[in-house]
Amino acid sequence: MKHRNLGMSRPITRRDFISGFAVAISGSMAWRWSEARTASSAYPPVLTGMRGSHEGSFEVAHAMRNGAQWEDPEDTGEQYDLVVVGGGLSGLAAAWYFREAKPEARVLILENHDDFGGHAKRNEFWVGDRMVLSHGGTENIQDLRRYDAAGRRLLKSIGIDVARYPEFHDTSVYGSRNLGTSVFLCKESFGRDHLLVGDGKPSWREYFARTPLSETAQQQLIALHESDTDYLKGLAQKEKIGFLQKTSYERYLQETVGIGEEAVAYLWRSTTWATGLDSISAWVAAGEGWPGTAGLGVDDAFETGAVPNEESLFCQFPDGNATIARLIVRALAPGVAPGNTVDDIVATRFDYGALDSANSRARVRLNSTVVNVSHRGDPNSANDVEVTYVLDGRAFRVRGDRCVLACYNASIPYICGELPAEQKKSLSQAVRAPLIYTNVLLSNWNALARLGVRYARCPNSYFETIRLTDPLNIGGYRHSSAPDQPVVLRMSRAPLDPELRGQPIVDQWRAGRAELLTTTFETFEMKIRDQLGRMFRDGGFDSSRDIAAITVNRWPHGYAFGHDPDTGQVAYMLDELPPERSPWIAARKPFGRIAIANSDATADAMTEGAFRAAHLAIESLVG
Ligand SMILES: Cc1cc2nc3c(=O)[nH]c(=O)nc-3n(C[C@H](O)[C@H](O)[C@H](O)COP(=O)(O)OP(=O)(O)OC[C@H]3O[C@@H](n4cnc5c(N)ncnc54)[C@H](O)[C@@H]3O)c2cc1C
């Protein structure tokens, strides 16, 4: 690999923060580049390089897991009505629901990262005086129907009306240029690099004829895409559903549909659910409308659930659900940012110095890892809970009348040693799926416009999906509207080792997490430059010239899922699983003055699951 050709030696914005280059300046921003530059250390959204679970955020928790203890913490003398451990969407929602029930309550949120929001993280780039936003993790409200009444109430109260989404979304930017979806086949898996633009155009036959795939694989894929065969003909609806739920999509393709390894490799995907086709059921595939499921006749079964099909039920902001996190924080602690609508929040700079203000009834304390939570006295009769956290290498103690653990279920047994042994066992069974969302700031998207690409699926490449950020314009924020303007390209990867395919999914996730924490930024950068250069070369893309900044958001503890020990797969239809296969229900049982939130508590990877867990926790504490 010749690094120089990829531009590895060129300065980009990564370990530090920002670089400017000559582009047209447009849009009026609530704050300016010069301020971003000076404020980067105090304003984490502008930090680039390795983000997500950044260095400094997890070391104390890992030391705690390995048995470290912090004796004699300094007592801050603070007493709160509620202390929340974890400032992700669940912890923030817990604070919000608590304040909804007790408007005068004093709340402290302790978060081990340098920013709040958990996965719902804002990545903010600057090019001259132009702000370019993307989401570091949580992207959107995928389907409002999945939010329960309490979740909808929260969204509405902070100012979100999903029906307004079409107002923000300028479909003409990519639509008028006919930018569409594509598939990139890499030479390592398919013999030569090939970018296939325009799904199935002009026909599947001509589409596949352009690929390096063998004649046999082409015929199998053409048949799969063109026909709406019912591959389970003869089975009753209920039997079909039972079969699809028990069978991985990979096995369904191989054994039921009868296609070979090469065609399966073309269809391979792993980032949608953070699992490969070996660990996702054919039932989920049918819900997603993946190839080979159209003729099964089971669509009715998904009527109330999985597929978002009405635009007004979907909503997205330029920094993803970080807008939700920011709206909640501003509602809790109005001193952190001016304004009071969703329109004025996106371009607004938060005053991080005001997050933990003694003048506020709700405080967010960052860089603070909680290492111990215990009742003062017998959990059945204690009046409060002591919470110990480590900040800058020193241990401190605060007290709360109540405490919500909105961190990760698997870490709770280490934090809260007084929990019953059975509950600790249930908590330990939660394994979150690792994911990487990388934001690459491009100085322009001319090459993609020339090639007609806004999204690419890249089976078996290092990054599996590549997508231009959606053109969303809100308040003072303006997305790139022409190819010569800067834009963020999002690249996603599920770190799953092909050697472990077919193993229980939790083992694959654990291995992926280890890979994530040992992969250097330089490796990510090299992979990004190499892949983009190979994909878009024919459009004139030059990795060394066109990449202006990179932020790698690694999420070792990403999606919260239920997983089924019988099939080794991600579990689905959680409500129908018996309690012995739903350990998260026993795990979230309140204990004295302590309740457990976070998305593990509902085994639901989505924001609505995080909200529901928060609401359940607060209900258990305040009724
Ligand atoms: C890459 C990615 C993309 C996603 N996209 C979507 C999407 O588009 N739509 C959607 O609805 N959902 C999406 N999700 C899921 C959604 O983000 C989650 O459901 C939700 O944000 C989880 O919130 P949480 O508070 O439970 O967990 P987290 O976001 O993980 O927050 C928990 C917080 O607790 C902190 N913490 C842990 N231990 C401690 C400790 N000891 N002391 C202090 N703090 C601690 C963690 O650092 C973290 O910040 C996505 C998730 C990921 C990873």
Side-chain angles (χ1 to χ4, degrees):
M1 179 78 58
K2 289 189 188 127
H3 289 189
R4 194 172 298 279
N5 293 346
L6 298 175
M8 289 291 287
S9 54
R10 274 175 64 99
I12 57 154
T13 61
R14 42 184 169 148
R15 285 173 201 90
D16 313 315
F17 47 109
I18 302 152
S19 76
F21 50 90
V23 288
I25 296 169
S26 67
S28 120
M29 288 294 134
W31 68 302
R32 297 261 155 215
W33 144 251
S34 49
E35 293 170 69
R37 183 186 277 283
T38 49
S40 70
S41 60
Y43 189 66
V46 296
L47 294 172
T48 59
M50 194 72 97
R51 297 293 293 156
S53 275
H54 59 80
E55 273 175 29
S57 64
F58 52 82
E59 292 79 352
V60 171
H62 289 179
M64 170 183 67
R65 177 199 60 198
N66 295 338
Q69 301 216 327
W70 288 264
E71 310 290 352
D72 281 335
E74 187 180 315
D75 195 333
T76 68
E78 292 162 286
Q79 176 94 29
Y80 293 89
D81 298 298
L82 177 72
V83 177
V84 179
V85 179
L89 285 176
S90 199
L92 296 176
W96 189 90
Y97 286 125
F98 191 74
R99 286 282 297 271
E100 185 191 38
K102 296 179 176 293
E104 298 303 312
R106 286 173 47 79
V107 178
L108 174 68
I109 299 165
L110 294 163
E111 164 58 45
N112 60 359
H113 285 75
D114 60 13
D115 203 350
F116 57 84
H119 308 143
K121 211 64 107 211
R122 174 178 169 106
N123 284 180
E124 181 175 320
F125 299 95
W126 283 84
V127 180
D129 263 5
R130 184 184 194 116
M131 181 193 281
V132 185
L133 290 176
S134 186
H135 51 95
T138 314
E139 190 169 351
N140 53 45
I141 296 169
Q142 202 176 322
D143 187 341
L144 188 67
R145 285 172 299 185
R146 296 203 194 116
Y147 287 70
D148 64 14
R152 289 177 194 210
R153 193 169 73 241
L154 197 172
L155 290 178
K156 191 168 172 209
S157 168
I158 57 177
I160 292 180
D161 174 4
V162 300
R164 286 189 59 201
Y165 172 67
E167 201 185 296
F168 312 141
H169 189 196
D170 183 356
T171 51
S172 70
V173 175
Y174 301 141
S176 65
R177 295 177 173 85
N178 287 324
L179 265 55
T181 60
S182 62
V183 176
F184 174 67
L185 302 180
C186 60
K187 63 176 182 241
E188 292 84 349
S189 292
F190 299 96
R192 69 176 155 86
D193 287 344
H194 189 80
L195 184 69
L196 275 159
V197 180
D199 262 0
K201 303 235 169 73
S203 68
W204 285 111
R205 190 161 299 280
E206 287 159 274
Y207 174 86
F208 283 116
R210 302 199 302 266
T211 67
L213 295 168
S214 70
E215 184 59 28
T216 311
Q218 286 187 33
Q219 292 309 325
Q220 291 170 345
L221 288 165
I222 292 165
L224 191 72
H225 283 85
E226 278 184 346
S227 83
D228 52 1
T229 305
D230 179 357
Y231 295 100
L232 297 178
K233 203 165 169 206
L235 295 188
Q237 171 98 340
K238 208 170 156 205
E239 289 168 326
K240 281 184 184 174
I241 293 174
F243 176 83
L244 293 169
Q245 288 179 346
K246 276 202 315 282
T247 309
S248 75
Y249 183 51
E250 182 185 32
R251 255 186 51 218
Y252 171 79
L253 288 172
Q254 289 171 333
E255 295 170 16
T256 309
V257 177
I259 65 173
E261 217 173 281
E262 200 185 348
V264 172
Y266 168 86
L267 296 167
W268 200 266
R269 54 195 89 206
S270 60
T271 51
T272 323
W273 289 75
T275 72
L277 304 187
D278 58 316
S279 305
I280 198 82
S281 70
W283 173 245
V284 172
E288 296 277 352
W290 289 349
T293 60
L296 292 173
V298 293
D299 287 358
D300 288 357
F302 297 107
E303 214 170 64
T304 55
V307 191
N309 53 12
E310 290 177 46
E311 199 163 34
S312 65
L313 297 170
F314 172 94
C315 191
Q316 185 169 344
F317 302 99
D319 57 0
N321 287 7
T323 283
I324 299 181
R326 284 157 60 94
L327 285 167
I328 298 177
V329 169
R330 190 176 63 178
L332 290 169
V336 298
N340 49 20
T341 68
V342 76
D343 302 82
D344 61 35
I345 198 123
V346 173
T348 297
R349 180 192 171 189
F350 269 43
D351 176 2
Y352 276 66
L355 281 173
D356 191 11
S357 164
N359 299 327
S360 175
R361 290 189 162 271
R363 302 171 72 164
V364 183
R365 194 161 296 164
L366 299 172
N367 300 305
S368 303
T369 308
V370 172
V371 292
N372 190 267
V373 171
S374 51
H375 288 90
R376 275 210 297 169
D378 183 342
N380 294 314
S381 54
N383 289 324
D384 57 15
V385 175
E386 285 184 330
V387 179
T388 305
Y389 64 93
V390 176
L391 169 64
D392 280 341
R394 287 174 58 199
F396 298 91
R397 184 166 57 213
V398 295
R399 292 188 187 86
D401 292 357
R402 300 168 184 83
C403 178
V404 168
L405 299 174
C407 41
Y408 314 133
N409 268 11
S411 69
I412 290 175
Y414 300 98
I415 296 173
C416 192
E418 64 184 15
L419 284 171
E422 272 304 303
Q423 187 168 1
K424 286 189 195 164
K425 210 167 128 195
S426 302
L427 286 159
S428 304
Q429 289 184 44
V431 182
R432 287 195 180 190
L435 270 174
I436 302 154
Y437 273 24
T438 294
N439 285 317
V440 181
L441 178 67
L442 302 182
S443 55
N444 65 82
W445 42 286
N446 289 322
L448 282 89
R450 277 184 211 114
L451 293 166
V453 173
R454 64 170 299 196
Y455 168 84
R457 191 172 67 76
C458 317
N460 292 329
S461 286
Y462 192 75
F463 288 97
E464 189 195 275
T465 57
I466 293 184
R467 183 194 294 274
L468 285 169
T469 46
D470 283 347
L472 302 168
N473 303 314
I474 304 182
Y477 181 75
R478 288 289 168 270
H479 186 273
S480 173
S481 60
D484 59 357
Q485 294 173 0
V487 76
V488 167
L489 190 68
R490 208 195 73 207
M491 305 176 73
S492 314
R493 167 175 169 76
L496 298 171
D497 182 350
E499 300 281 315
L500 297 181
R501 277 184 193 163
Q503 304 287 319
I505 189 60
V506 290
D507 294 342
Q508 297 190 47
W509 285 339
R510 286 193 182 102
R513 181 183 306 159
E515 179 207 305
L516 243 187
L517 289 176
T518 49
T519 306
T520 62
F521 179 83
E522 194 191 29
T523 301
F524 282 119
E525 181 181 351
M526 198 173 67
K527 299 280 189 192
I528 289 163
R529 289 180 180 279
D530 175 52
Q531 190 170 335
L532 292 183
R534 285 162 56 184
M535 288 178 69
F536 302 131
R537 188 182 298 128
D538 290 349
F541 186 84
D542 178 347
S543 283
S544 139
R545 183 195 59 211
D546 297 331
I547 295 176
I550 297 174
T551 301
V552 175
N553 296 279
R554 60 177 177 192
W555 301 111
H557 304 274
Y559 289 156
F561 276 134
H563 43 88
D564 187 335
D566 288 354
T567 60
Q569 296 174 6
V570 169
Y572 39 83
M573 302 183 93
L574 299 179
D575 294 346
E576 292 182 10
L577 286 175
E580 66 278 12
R581 282 163 67 194
S582 312
W584 51 91
I585 295 175
R588 71 179 179 223
K589 198 164 167 227
F591 179 70
R593 293 179 164 267
I594 299 170
I596 292 168
N598 96 77
S599 44
D600 285 324
T602 46
D604 181 341
M606 305 300 281
T607 298
E608 55 269 32
F611 281 5
R612 200 158 63 83
H615 189 244
L616 285 171
I618 296 304
E619 264 193 329
S620 75
L621 289 179
V622 301

